[in-house]
Every structure is written in C-alpha cells, then in structure tokens.
C-alpha cells in the first residue's frame, strides 16, 4: 500500500524559510515523478515543483529562485523535500506531496498523480 506522509509545515513571517518533507513508502515501480502542490484558501490547487528519478526538476514561475525540490532514496522509502526560502504571504496554503509512476525525461505538474499525502499547512504572515 502506497503511503505519502508530509511534515515540516508551520508558521513563519515574510522572508522566512521552511523545509517540507515527504516520506513515500510502498512504491513498487522503478521510477516515479514526485511533486509538491498547494491549495490556498478559496483557490484551486496548483503545482509548485516536480522532480523525477533523474533529479530533473520543474517549478511554477511563482516560486522559481525561492523554492528547491530534492529527493533521497532509502531502502523501501523515497524521501523528497521542498526547501522554501524568502516566503511571502501568498505562499500560505495547504501543501501536498504526490507521486506518479513516470520514466520520462522530465515530468510536468500536469501529469496524472496517483498518490497523495494528507497535506501540511504553511502560513506566512506579513
């Protein structure tokens, strides 16, 4: 059974930093696309960043230069992270990690993600 568990959310002031973590277990395919998404109050869910097994990344324009996605592989569990720097109030949202079987050169935020975590709240105050 695939399970994704996020951690690392919290409350910070404008300009602060947070690091989100996602532990993905039960993945049986050899390669995946891993992504971070967010949903702000009253808004649609949007993609933030993706990374694949080749460590190729994509970012939403709104976070380029401020956020960094990365991943580590451990036995039976895949860990990936979202380092968020220079946070702004508009980054306030519930952040989700997600996974999809994928072996392409690069994965976009528009692909079908099969597995999702429960979400972790990030709040940035001005």
């Amino acid at each position: 059974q695939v399970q994704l568990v996020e951690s690392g959310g919290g409350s910070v002031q404008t300009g602060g930093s947070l690091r989100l973590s996602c532990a993905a277990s039960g993945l049986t395919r050899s390669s995946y696309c891993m992504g971070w998404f967010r949903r702000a109050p009253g808004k649609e869910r949007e993609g933030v960043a993706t990374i694949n097994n080749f460590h190729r990344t994509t970012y939403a324009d709104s976070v380029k230069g401020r956020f960094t996605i990365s991943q580590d592989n451990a036995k039976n569990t895949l860990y990936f992270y979202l380092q968020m720097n220079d946070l702004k109030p508009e980054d306030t949202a519930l952040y989700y990690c997600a996974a999809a079987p994928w072996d392409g050169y690069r994965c976009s935020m528009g692909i079908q993600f099969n597995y999702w975590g429960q979400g972790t709240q990030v709040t940035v105050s001005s």
Side-chain angles (χ1 to χ4, degrees), residues 1-3 24-32 76-78 99 101 115:
Q1 181 180 355
V2 176
Q3 186 175 23
S25 59
L27 300 175
T28 59
R29 300 279 289 269
S30 60
S31 60
Y32 286 85
N76 299 325
T77 301
L78 175 64
Y115 310 108

Side-chain angles (χ1 to χ4, degrees), residues 44-88:
E44 303 256 331
R45 187 179 65 200
E46 64 174 348
V48 176
T50 64
I51 187 168
N52 67 3
N53 283 54
F54 302 104
H55 295 259
R56 295 189 179 97
T57 59
T58 61
Y59 293 94
D61 288 342
S62 59
V63 306
K64 282 180 181 176
R66 300 188 298 122
F67 291 10
T68 302
I69 189 171
S70 60
Q71 68 169 32
D72 287 322
N73 289 347
K75 184 178 180 181
N76 299 325
T77 301
L78 175 64
Y79 295 92
F80 60 112
Y81 310 95
L82 187 68
Q83 177 66 43
M84 305 185 294
N85 298 328
D86 190 24
L87 283 160
K88 304 175 180 181

Side-chain angles (χ1 to χ4, degrees), residues 7-13 16-21 84 87-88 91-95 119-125:
S7 61
S11 298
V12 296
Q13 292 188 323
S17 298
L18 285 172
R19 188 188 194 214
L20 305 183
S21 300
M84 305 185 294
L87 283 160
K88 304 175 180 181
D91 295 317
T92 295
L94 189 61
Y95 282 71
T120 185
Q121 179 67 37
V122 171
T123 302
V124 185
S125 58

